[in-house]
Amino acid sequence: MEQNYYQKEIETMPVEDIKRLQSEKLVAQVKHVYENVEYYRRLMDEKGVKPEDIKGIEDLHKLPFLSKSDLRDAYPYGLLAKPLSECVRIQSTSGTTGRRVVAFYTQHDIDLWEDCCARAIVAAGGTKDDVCQVAYGYGLFTGGAGLNGGSHKVGCLTLPMSSGNTERQIQFMTDLGATILCCTPSYAAYLGESLKEKGCTPDSIPLKAGIFGAEPWTEEMRKNIEETLGIKAYDIYGLTETSGPGVAFECCEQTGMHINEDHFLAEIIDPETGEVLPEGEKGELVFTSLDKEAFPLLRYRTRDICVLSRKKCSCGRTLVKMAKPMGRTDDMMIIRGVNVFPSQIETVLLNEGYQPNYQIIVDRVNNNDTFDINVEMNPEQFTDKVSEILSMERKLGEAMKTMLGINPKIHLVAPKTIARSEGKAVRIIDKRKLI
Ligand code: ADP
Ligand code: ZN
């Protein structure tokens, strides 16, 4: 298949050259941060590191980490590296883990962020002839703004739908012939379900590709969305702290996301010890922003667990690839002492023929963890015969036990009774109040 790139010279640059570019940018960025961000200067001074000690990417490990708690301590202006008069935008995290973080952008920062999103759209086959429906939330959340900007840069006709109002999404999609859909994977699945209910077959929908991210999703969910919408579904990754979506994006190989290494330097560390791990090992992803001006975080701990790979990619891009994050260090539930990720539960559901409409409820009764999963039956499976339901619940429970190592209590519920999400899905209700 012929490959298109948005910025070919960067996306296919020999690895040695990318590393040289990263080294040059890192040296300048450390200096910029040290001079302008008192908060980080203090962390560097405490560690006894001076900007002169950083001569290239091989010295990165000498720098202190930043974590979400630093962002909260420094809220709102403590990590700002440019005068506010040079900033043109703020965005904020979706607050999945409770407290929000605000990030600042100069026009240069917006430009590089939108370039990253444009690379993702082109890698998904987008061109100026496409109609790109952006159904990520607009506003403080980075999803809408990022993909909207990327879509403009590619020259697509952009439909700035924002999330929600599913009827209107479907009407615009069909009336205006949207060919690319950008939203969370859970909303894509919901749109697919709604289209199916209206009797739309994949062939009757103009879409050819989807760019889905902002939350974890499994390969099984990808297959499911690709089938119901009749598209190729591409992953996109990012976080507000590093700019937003577009830090990494998937190509036609669909085997992980290329990291935009000219802007973001990635490391994998052991989340317990902070030690940098060699390529191919699983650990916490850490990003250093190499050329953002206003909010240039160095060694920011994402808490996302994943693996990096430099295996040659058939798309021709040389940018390092990250695997799908398999959850966050703080997404992981420890139930009866066992680590459980929602992605494992989703995999079992899709393998057993259910839709990814579920909710996990964890509680603690008499010092014992209770673990319940509410799962929707598909309309075609639906029955109100108790014996049939019990037997389906038993079968699903056994499959969960095999995957997780512990036994959840399964409750099958009627189709359409679990609330749908228009943004990031809320999958876990943890009532244990352990903290
Ligand atoms: P938060 O959700 O922390 O409030 P953001 O809205 O910036 O803040 O979300 C960033 C987080 O979303 C990432 O750290 C990651 O956990 C998750 N995320 C984003 N894209 C993906 C993706 N493609 N796959 C899995 N997780 C993702
Ligand atoms: Zn590739």
PDB file of all heavy atoms in Angstrom, residues 3 5 123 249-258 311-319 321, ligand 2:
ATOM      1  N   GLN A   3       2.262   4.742   0.908  1.00  0.00           N
ATOM      2  CA  GLN A   3       2.228   5.447   2.179  1.00  0.00           C
ATOM      3  C   GLN A   3       2.194   6.945   1.996  1.00  0.00           C
ATOM      4  O   GLN A   3       2.905   7.488   1.167  1.00  0.00           O
ATOM      5  CB  GLN A   3       3.493   5.107   2.979  1.00  0.00           C
ATOM      6  CG  GLN A   3       3.404   3.804   3.702  1.00  0.00           C
ATOM      7  CD  GLN A   3       2.196   3.762   4.611  1.00  0.00           C
ATOM      8  OE1 GLN A   3       1.928   4.683   5.360  1.00  0.00           O
ATOM      9  NE2 GLN A   3       1.439   2.697   4.513  1.00  0.00           N
ATOM     10  N   TYR A   5       2.639  10.529   4.221  1.00  0.00           N
ATOM     11  CA  TYR A   5       3.117  11.055   5.499  1.00  0.00           C
ATOM     12  C   TYR A   5       2.778  12.531   5.523  1.00  0.00           C
ATOM     13  O   TYR A   5       2.739  13.184   4.484  1.00  0.00           O
ATOM     14  CB  TYR A   5       4.631  10.914   5.628  1.00  0.00           C
ATOM     15  CG  TYR A   5       5.158   9.537   5.321  1.00  0.00           C
ATOM     16  CD1 TYR A   5       5.661   9.232   4.059  1.00  0.00           C
ATOM     17  CD2 TYR A   5       5.159   8.544   6.295  1.00  0.00           C
ATOM     18  CE1 TYR A   5       6.152   7.969   3.775  1.00  0.00           C
ATOM     19  CE2 TYR A   5       5.647   7.278   6.018  1.00  0.00           C
ATOM     20  CZ  TYR A   5       6.144   6.989   4.760  1.00  0.00           C
ATOM     21  OH  TYR A   5       6.616   5.751   4.479  1.00  0.00           O
ATOM     22  N   ALA A 123      -1.712   9.281   8.635  1.00  0.00           N
ATOM     23  CA  ALA A 123      -1.352   7.862   8.792  1.00  0.00           C
ATOM     24  C   ALA A 123      -2.592   6.967   8.712  1.00  0.00           C
ATOM     25  O   ALA A 123      -2.507   5.804   8.330  1.00  0.00           O
ATOM     26  CB  ALA A 123      -0.634   7.642  10.118  1.00  0.00           C
ATOM     27  N   PHE A 249       0.678   7.816  17.531  1.00  0.00           N
ATOM     28  CA  PHE A 249      -0.433   7.488  16.634  1.00  0.00           C
ATOM     29  C   PHE A 249      -0.135   6.194  15.895  1.00  0.00           C
ATOM     30  O   PHE A 249       1.012   5.827  15.681  1.00  0.00           O
ATOM     31  CB  PHE A 249      -0.656   8.621  15.624  1.00  0.00           C
ATOM     32  CG  PHE A 249       0.548   8.839  14.717  1.00  0.00           C
ATOM     33  CD1 PHE A 249       0.611   8.253  13.452  1.00  0.00           C
ATOM     34  CD2 PHE A 249       1.617   9.606  15.144  1.00  0.00           C
ATOM     35  CE1 PHE A 249       1.722   8.439  12.637  1.00  0.00           C
ATOM     36  CE2 PHE A 249       2.738   9.794  14.331  1.00  0.00           C
ATOM     37  CZ  PHE A 249       2.786   9.206  13.074  1.00  0.00           C
ATOM     38  N   GLU A 250      -1.206   5.550  15.458  1.00  0.00           N
ATOM     39  CA  GLU A 250      -1.041   4.267  14.791  1.00  0.00           C
ATOM     40  C   GLU A 250      -0.969   4.434  13.277  1.00  0.00           C
ATOM     41  O   GLU A 250      -1.587   5.338  12.718  1.00  0.00           O
ATOM     42  CB  GLU A 250      -2.236   3.380  15.142  1.00  0.00           C
ATOM     43  CG  GLU A 250      -1.853   1.962  15.378  1.00  0.00           C
ATOM     44  CD  GLU A 250      -2.995   1.164  15.964  1.00  0.00           C
ATOM     45  OE1 GLU A 250      -4.163   1.463  15.679  1.00  0.00           O
ATOM     46  OE2 GLU A 250      -2.702   0.233  16.725  1.00  0.00           O
ATOM     47  N   CYS A 251      -0.219   3.530  12.633  1.00  0.00           N
ATOM     48  CA  CYS A 251      -0.114   3.511  11.176  1.00  0.00           C
ATOM     49  C   CYS A 251      -0.864   2.291  10.654  1.00  0.00           C
ATOM     50  O   CYS A 251      -1.499   1.567  11.419  1.00  0.00           O
ATOM     51  CB  CYS A 251       1.348   3.433  10.777  1.00  0.00           C
ATOM     52  SG  CYS A 251       2.104   1.906  11.355  1.00  0.00           S
ATOM     53  N   CYS A 252      -0.729   2.035   9.334  1.00  0.00           N
ATOM     54  CA  CYS A 252      -1.494   0.953   8.714  1.00  0.00           C
ATOM     55  C   CYS A 252      -1.185  -0.421   9.320  1.00  0.00           C
ATOM     56  O   CYS A 252      -1.989  -1.328   9.234  1.00  0.00           O
ATOM     57  CB  CYS A 252      -1.239   0.936   7.216  1.00  0.00           C
ATOM     58  SG  CYS A 252       0.526   0.856   6.845  1.00  0.00           S
ATOM     59  N   GLU A 253      -0.030  -0.583   9.936  1.00  0.00           N
ATOM     60  CA  GLU A 253       0.310  -1.892  10.508  1.00  0.00           C
ATOM     61  C   GLU A 253      -0.547  -2.231  11.720  1.00  0.00           C
ATOM     62  O   GLU A 253      -0.725  -3.397  12.058  1.00  0.00           O
ATOM     63  CB  GLU A 253       1.790  -1.900  10.919  1.00  0.00           C
ATOM     64  CG  GLU A 253       2.546  -3.037  10.296  1.00  0.00           C
ATOM     65  CD  GLU A 253       3.904  -3.305  10.926  1.00  0.00           C
ATOM     66  OE1 GLU A 253       4.007  -3.488  12.153  1.00  0.00           O
ATOM     67  OE2 GLU A 253       4.874  -3.348  10.162  1.00  0.00           O
ATOM     68  N   GLN A 254      -1.045  -1.212  12.386  1.00  0.00           N
ATOM     69  CA  GLN A 254      -1.898  -1.367  13.577  1.00  0.00           C
ATOM     70  C   GLN A 254      -1.269  -2.269  14.640  1.00  0.00           C
ATOM     71  O   GLN A 254      -1.934  -3.124  15.223  1.00  0.00           O
ATOM     72  CB  GLN A 254      -3.274  -1.902  13.186  1.00  0.00           C
ATOM     73  CG  GLN A 254      -4.071  -0.913  12.344  1.00  0.00           C
ATOM     74  CD  GLN A 254      -5.444  -1.444  11.993  1.00  0.00           C
ATOM     75  OE1 GLN A 254      -5.545  -2.520  11.414  1.00  0.00           O
ATOM     76  NE2 GLN A 254      -6.486  -0.714  12.324  1.00  0.00           N
ATOM     77  N   THR A 255       0.033  -2.096  14.836  1.00  0.00           N
ATOM     78  CA  THR A 255       0.707  -2.898  15.863  1.00  0.00           C
ATOM     79  C   THR A 255       1.432  -1.981  16.843  1.00  0.00           C
ATOM     80  O   THR A 255       2.606  -2.185  17.124  1.00  0.00           O
ATOM     81  CB  THR A 255       1.747  -3.837  15.238  1.00  0.00           C
ATOM     82  OG1 THR A 255       2.620  -3.029  14.413  1.00  0.00           O
ATOM     83  CG2 THR A 255       1.128  -4.923  14.397  1.00  0.00           C
ATOM     84  N   GLY A 256       0.755  -0.989  17.317  1.00  0.00           N
ATOM     85  CA  GLY A 256       1.373  -0.044  18.249  1.00  0.00           C
ATOM     86  C   GLY A 256       1.420   1.336  17.634  1.00  0.00           C
ATOM     87  O   GLY A 256       1.173   1.505  16.436  1.00  0.00           O
ATOM     88  N   MET A 257       1.723   2.318  18.469  1.00  0.00           N
ATOM     89  CA  MET A 257       1.645   3.712  18.028  1.00  0.00           C
ATOM     90  C   MET A 257       3.032   4.334  17.933  1.00  0.00           C
ATOM     91  O   MET A 257       3.822   4.247  18.865  1.00  0.00           O
ATOM     92  CB  MET A 257       0.792   4.496  19.015  1.00  0.00           C
ATOM     93  CG  MET A 257      -0.652   4.030  19.038  1.00  0.00           C
ATOM     94  SD  MET A 257      -1.591   4.838  20.349  1.00  0.00           S
ATOM     95  CE  MET A 257      -1.336   3.736  21.715  1.00  0.00           C
ATOM     96  N   HIS A 258       3.313   4.985  16.801  1.00  0.00           N
ATOM     97  CA  HIS A 258       4.575   5.698  16.633  1.00  0.00           C
ATOM     98  C   HIS A 258       4.564   6.946  17.509  1.00  0.00           C
ATOM     99  O   HIS A 258       3.625   7.739  17.447  1.00  0.00           O
ATOM    100  CB  HIS A 258       4.744   6.127  15.170  1.00  0.00           C
ATOM    101  CG  HIS A 258       4.994   4.991  14.229  1.00  0.00           C
ATOM    102  ND1 HIS A 258       6.193   4.318  14.201  1.00  0.00           N
ATOM    103  CD2 HIS A 258       4.208   4.406  13.293  1.00  0.00           C
ATOM    104  CE1 HIS A 258       6.139   3.367  13.262  1.00  0.00           C
ATOM    105  NE2 HIS A 258       4.940   3.398  12.705  1.00  0.00           N
ATOM    106  N   LYS A 311      11.262  -2.113  16.556  1.00  0.00           N
ATOM    107  CA  LYS A 311      11.204  -3.056  15.435  1.00  0.00           C
ATOM    108  C   LYS A 311      10.816  -2.296  14.171  1.00  0.00           C
ATOM    109  O   LYS A 311       9.980  -1.404  14.214  1.00  0.00           O
ATOM    110  CB  LYS A 311      10.157  -4.137  15.748  1.00  0.00           C
ATOM    111  CG  LYS A 311      10.722  -5.532  15.570  1.00  0.00           C
ATOM    112  CD  LYS A 311       9.774  -6.589  16.050  1.00  0.00           C
ATOM    113  CE  LYS A 311       8.984  -7.136  14.882  1.00  0.00           C
ATOM    114  NZ  LYS A 311       7.734  -7.749  15.291  1.00  0.00           N
ATOM    115  N   LYS A 312      11.426  -2.682  13.057  1.00  0.00           N
ATOM    116  CA  LYS A 312      11.171  -1.994  11.797  1.00  0.00           C
ATOM    117  C   LYS A 312       9.686  -2.068  11.450  1.00  0.00           C
ATOM    118  O   LYS A 312       9.062  -3.121  11.586  1.00  0.00           O
ATOM    119  CB  LYS A 312      11.980  -2.699  10.704  1.00  0.00           C
ATOM    120  CG  LYS A 312      12.171  -1.909   9.460  1.00  0.00           C
ATOM    121  CD  LYS A 312      13.293  -2.574   8.632  1.00  0.00           C
ATOM    122  CE  LYS A 312      13.640  -1.837   7.381  1.00  0.00           C
ATOM    123  NZ  LYS A 312      12.697  -1.622   6.378  1.00  0.00           N
ATOM    124  N   CYS A 313       9.115  -0.950  11.021  1.00  0.00           N
ATOM    125  CA  CYS A 313       7.682  -0.949  10.708  1.00  0.00           C
ATOM    126  C   CYS A 313       7.482  -0.878   9.198  1.00  0.00           C
ATOM    127  O   CYS A 313       8.170  -0.120   8.509  1.00  0.00           O
ATOM    128  CB  CYS A 313       7.005   0.231  11.392  1.00  0.00           C
ATOM    129  SG  CYS A 313       5.217   0.166  11.241  1.00  0.00           S
ATOM    130  N   SER A 314       6.517  -1.639   8.720  1.00  0.00           N
ATOM    131  CA  SER A 314       6.308  -1.721   7.273  1.00  0.00           C
ATOM    132  C   SER A 314       5.803  -0.408   6.661  1.00  0.00           C
ATOM    133  O   SER A 314       5.821  -0.225   5.456  1.00  0.00           O
ATOM    134  CB  SER A 314       5.321  -2.844   6.954  1.00  0.00           C
ATOM    135  OG  SER A 314       4.092  -2.551   7.581  1.00  0.00           O
ATOM    136  N   CYS A 315       5.364   0.533   7.497  1.00  0.00           N
ATOM    137  CA  CYS A 315       4.857   1.798   6.959  1.00  0.00           C
ATOM    138  C   CYS A 315       6.003   2.728   6.561  1.00  0.00           C
ATOM    139  O   CYS A 315       5.774   3.760   5.945  1.00  0.00           O
ATOM    140  CB  CYS A 315       3.971   2.493   7.983  1.00  0.00           C
ATOM    141  SG  CYS A 315       4.895   3.282   9.308  1.00  0.00           S
ATOM    142  N   GLY A 316       7.221   2.372   6.969  1.00  0.00           N
ATOM    143  CA  GLY A 316       8.372   3.202   6.619  1.00  0.00           C
ATOM    144  C   GLY A 316       8.733   4.219   7.683  1.00  0.00           C
ATOM    145  O   GLY A 316       9.775   4.866   7.609  1.00  0.00           O
ATOM    146  N   ARG A 317       7.861   4.371   8.677  1.00  0.00           N
ATOM    147  CA  ARG A 317       8.197   5.327   9.742  1.00  0.00           C
ATOM    148  C   ARG A 317       9.264   4.710  10.639  1.00  0.00           C
ATOM    149  O   ARG A 317       9.233   3.511  10.920  1.00  0.00           O
ATOM    150  CB  ARG A 317       6.952   5.688  10.566  1.00  0.00           C
ATOM    151  CG  ARG A 317       5.999   6.591   9.807  1.00  0.00           C
ATOM    152  CD  ARG A 317       4.733   6.905  10.608  1.00  0.00           C
ATOM    153  NE  ARG A 317       3.829   7.695   9.778  1.00  0.00           N
ATOM    154  CZ  ARG A 317       3.025   7.180   8.869  1.00  0.00           C
ATOM    155  NH1 ARG A 317       2.991   5.868   8.662  1.00  0.00           N
ATOM    156  NH2 ARG A 317       2.249   7.961   8.143  1.00  0.00           N
ATOM    157  N   THR A 318      10.166   5.571  11.094  1.00  0.00           N
ATOM    158  CA  THR A 318      11.255   5.095  11.946  1.00  0.00           C
ATOM    159  C   THR A 318      11.006   5.445  13.408  1.00  0.00           C
ATOM    160  O   THR A 318      11.784   5.072  14.277  1.00  0.00           O
ATOM    161  CB  THR A 318      12.567   5.756  11.501  1.00  0.00           C
ATOM    162  OG1 THR A 318      12.296   7.146  11.306  1.00  0.00           O
ATOM    163  CG2 THR A 318      13.088   5.144  10.211  1.00  0.00           C
ATOM    164  N   LEU A 319       9.939   6.188  13.662  1.00  0.00           N
ATOM    165  CA  LEU A 319       9.640   6.622  15.033  1.00  0.00           C
ATOM    166  C   LEU A 319       9.352   5.410  15.911  1.00  0.00           C
ATOM    167  O   LEU A 319       8.646   4.481  15.490  1.00  0.00           O
ATOM    168  CB  LEU A 319       8.419   7.554  15.019  1.00  0.00           C
ATOM    169  CG  LEU A 319       8.533   8.803  14.128  1.00  0.00           C
ATOM    170  CD1 LEU A 319       7.186   9.521  14.028  1.00  0.00           C
ATOM    171  CD2 LEU A 319       9.587   9.752  14.685  1.00  0.00           C
ATOM    172  N   LYS A 321       7.850   2.794  18.544  1.00  0.00           N
ATOM    173  CA  LYS A 321       6.435   2.495  18.767  1.00  0.00           C
ATOM    174  C   LYS A 321       6.158   2.125  20.221  1.00  0.00           C
ATOM    175  O   LYS A 321       6.958   1.463  20.846  1.00  0.00           O
ATOM    176  CB  LYS A 321       5.992   1.344  17.869  1.00  0.00           C
ATOM    177  CG  LYS A 321       5.838   1.823  16.445  1.00  0.00           C
ATOM    178  CD  LYS A 321       4.943   1.056  15.536  1.00  0.00           C
ATOM    179  CE  LYS A 321       4.974  -0.346  15.317  1.00  0.00           C
ATOM    180  NZ  LYS A 321       4.471  -0.779  14.025  1.00  0.00           N
TER     181      LYS A 321
HETATM  182 ZN    ZN B   2       4.302   2.163  11.156  1.00  0.00          ZN
END
